[in-house]
Amino acid sequence: MSETIDSNECADLLRCTADQVEELARAGDIPGLKIGRSWLFVRPDLLVYLAEKAREEAQERRSRRQPNVTPIVQTKRRQPPVLPTFGLQGRSL
């Protein structure tokens, strides 16, 4: 399997058309290199792109699903109040 692929192979990888691939590449949305009239793509770069895009979209879906969730913040425990001894210091009960 070659590390470099053309627009048609990239389209198969991304599950879209070659025209869509070339438009994404022209816009700079996917990493690609235009050589003459053809586009050339590096398979590992595309896989990294897919993984990053999938993580971003998953994060967006999570934030839309729970927009008003506030993270739980741990607060320091307060010390109990000191009770007055009423002059019983030093005496045993």
Side-chain angles (χ1 to χ4, degrees), residues 48-66:
V48 168
Y49 163 79
L50 283 175
E52 289 173 357
K53 196 71 168 165
R55 280 191 287 275
E56 288 171 9
E57 289 186 11
Q59 179 61 38
E60 284 180 31
R61 287 190 298 275
R62 280 192 298 274
S63 65
R64 282 194 306 260
R65 185 182 68 213
Q66 299 174 342

Side-chain angles (χ1 to χ4, degrees), residues 1-81:
M1 180 183 301
S2 176
E3 294 292 307
T4 57
I5 57 177
D6 64 15
S7 296
N8 291 320
E9 293 168 307
C10 183
D12 290 341
L13 181 67
L14 299 180
R15 309 257 195 254
C16 61
T17 67
D19 288 338
Q20 289 172 316
V21 163
E22 291 174 5
E23 183 60 35
L24 289 168
R26 271 192 292 281
D29 292 333
I30 61 173
L33 175 66
K34 188 162 186 180
I35 300 177
R37 294 182 183 182
S38 301
W39 282 92
L40 186 64
F41 304 92
V42 179
R43 186 184 303 273
D45 290 347
L46 292 169
L47 295 175
V48 168
Y49 163 79
L50 283 175
E52 289 173 357
K53 196 71 168 165
R55 280 191 287 275
E56 288 171 9
E57 289 186 11
Q59 179 61 38
E60 284 180 31
R61 287 190 298 275
R62 280 192 298 274
S63 65
R64 282 194 306 260
R65 185 182 68 213
Q66 299 174 342
N68 297 325
V69 173
T70 320
I72 297 173
V73 178
Q74 294 287 337
T75 58
K76 290 184 179 179
R77 292 183 87 184
R78 294 188 307 194
Q79 294 291 348

